[in-house]
Amino acid sequence: MSRAVPGSEGLEEGLRASFAKAAAREPLLGAGLGFVPPESRPAYAAWCALLGELRECLFERSDPRVSGLKAGWWAEELRGWGQGAWRHPVGRPLAALSGLGPAFPRIAAHLAAVAADSDPPADESAAFAALRPLAEALVQGEARLFGAACDAATVDALATHWLRQRLEHGLEAADRARVPLVFFARHGLRREQLPAPEAAALRRDWALRLRDRLPTGAVAGLAYPRQLSLRGDRIALEALAAGRKAPGTYALGLVWQAWRLARRSAIATQRSTGLTSTAPPPT
């Protein structure tokens, strides 16, 4: 059973569990919940949980068949949200938000393409180009939800977040963590050697490049979940670039970091309208 996140007591049970799952992977999201206005917490928690579900589906699984099936289910679910219907508990507060509906079919349209893409990117530009349409659709929805900034740098920050996750989870998968072929050529290695000790320098090289693509310094106006993920990505990629395992938690000053990021973020969300519930999601 997922451990409840402080500040989530007022959320419905299914949403509370879904958010706890996301916060277990990104502890800063959980630490940030208390700085979100109470009336905005359901939408904040649902958006964070949705991003976590899509990330797990597309970037944390080794079997492309499972990813494809999950992506298909989520595409159908998101199209339903555009019509005010939902099955998954994170859909309840999101499907009811006025003005957000058009974002969901746009997101759904790109899920299958990303799930089916196991071809290695030739270079860094190709790696980002493959993810940019889905990232842009999500960032546009995020900007509408939070009244936040939406630009090319923010889109690439989300793509970087996914590539960091793939580096941690996909070394032995068919796509070899989406590491560009040029990095294998540079290090004189074959793709199947990526998980091996002799590829440690290659993995550090890619992690360092991903870290350097993240925005530097204070970035004002981003949606609060994006600010929190950026900080978590920097911590993880600095560890990976140094040859260390990415930390499972960012306990040191967790609440303090979340408070600092809240001061320059777009946090409050719009209010909900009507809802339509349908069948529960598959397990």
Side-chain angles (χ1 to χ4, degrees):
M1 179 179 294
S2 298
R3 185 177 178 182
V5 178
S8 66
E9 296 80 7
L11 303 179
E12 292 187 355
E13 182 178 357
L15 175 57
R16 185 167 63 248
S18 295
F19 178 67
K21 178 182 174 182
R25 284 178 166 81
E26 291 190 82
L28 277 168
L29 297 180
L33 183 63
F35 300 109
V36 177
E39 64 273 15
S40 294
R41 287 178 189 175
Y44 167 87
W47 186 255
C48 292
L50 171 63
L51 290 175
E53 291 286 353
L54 297 183
R55 183 183 66 235
E56 178 186 4
C57 165
L58 297 173
F59 302 103
E60 295 181 13
R61 294 182 178 273
S62 296
D63 190 335
R65 295 169 298 180
V66 176
S67 290
L69 288 172
K70 295 283 284 184
W73 187 90
W74 273 107
E76 181 182 355
E77 174 75 356
L78 286 163
R79 283 190 288 268
W81 293 4
Q83 301 172 0
W86 57 275
R87 293 172 294 180
H88 197 283
V90 306
R92 181 177 178 86
L94 294 177
L97 290 169
S98 60
L100 197 57
F104 301 130
R106 285 199 295 268
I107 296 167
H110 298 295
L111 289 178
V114 174
D117 183 14
S118 61
D119 293 334
D123 53 24
E124 182 180 331
S125 295
F128 277 82
L131 301 179
R132 202 167 279 129
L134 177 59
E136 185 173 10
L138 279 161
V139 167
Q140 286 174 348
E142 189 171 83
R144 184 177 291 273
L145 176 60
F146 292 94
C150 177
D151 54 24
T154 310
V155 171
D156 277 4
L158 179 53
T160 302
H161 174 72
W162 290 334
L163 288 169
R164 164 228 155 176
Q165 295 290 332
R166 200 60 183 146
L167 180 59
E168 293 182 54
H169 296 277
L171 296 181
E172 297 183 3
D175 64 5
R176 296 300 177 190
R178 295 180 179 257
V179 176
L181 291 174
V182 67
F183 281 78
F184 291 96
R186 183 180 303 163
H187 289 268
L189 296 170
R190 301 184 306 278
R191 293 180 69 231
E192 58 268 25
Q193 293 177 284
L194 185 60
E198 56 265 34
L202 185 158
R203 297 193 298 269
R204 291 196 302 270
D205 194 8
W206 180 229
L208 181 63
R209 184 64 196 121
L210 291 175
R211 187 207 66 180
D212 289 346
R213 288 194 67 121
L214 293 174
T216 57
V219 184
L222 293 183
Y224 193 31
R226 187 64 36 231
Q227 293 274 26
L228 295 166
S229 286
L230 274 173
R231 180 58 183 152
D233 289 337
R234 183 165 295 279
I235 292 170
L237 287 169
E238 285 177 349
L240 292 169
R244 304 190 305 271
K245 185 177 180 180
T249 181
Y250 316 122
L252 184 61
L254 197 66
V255 175
W256 178 75
Q257 290 184 61
W259 171 75
R260 287 190 67 223
L261 292 170
R263 298 175 65 192
R264 57 174 179 261
S265 302
I267 296 179
T269 62
Q270 55 185 298
R271 294 184 179 276
S272 298
T273 57
L275 306 166
T276 301
S277 175
T278 60
T283 56

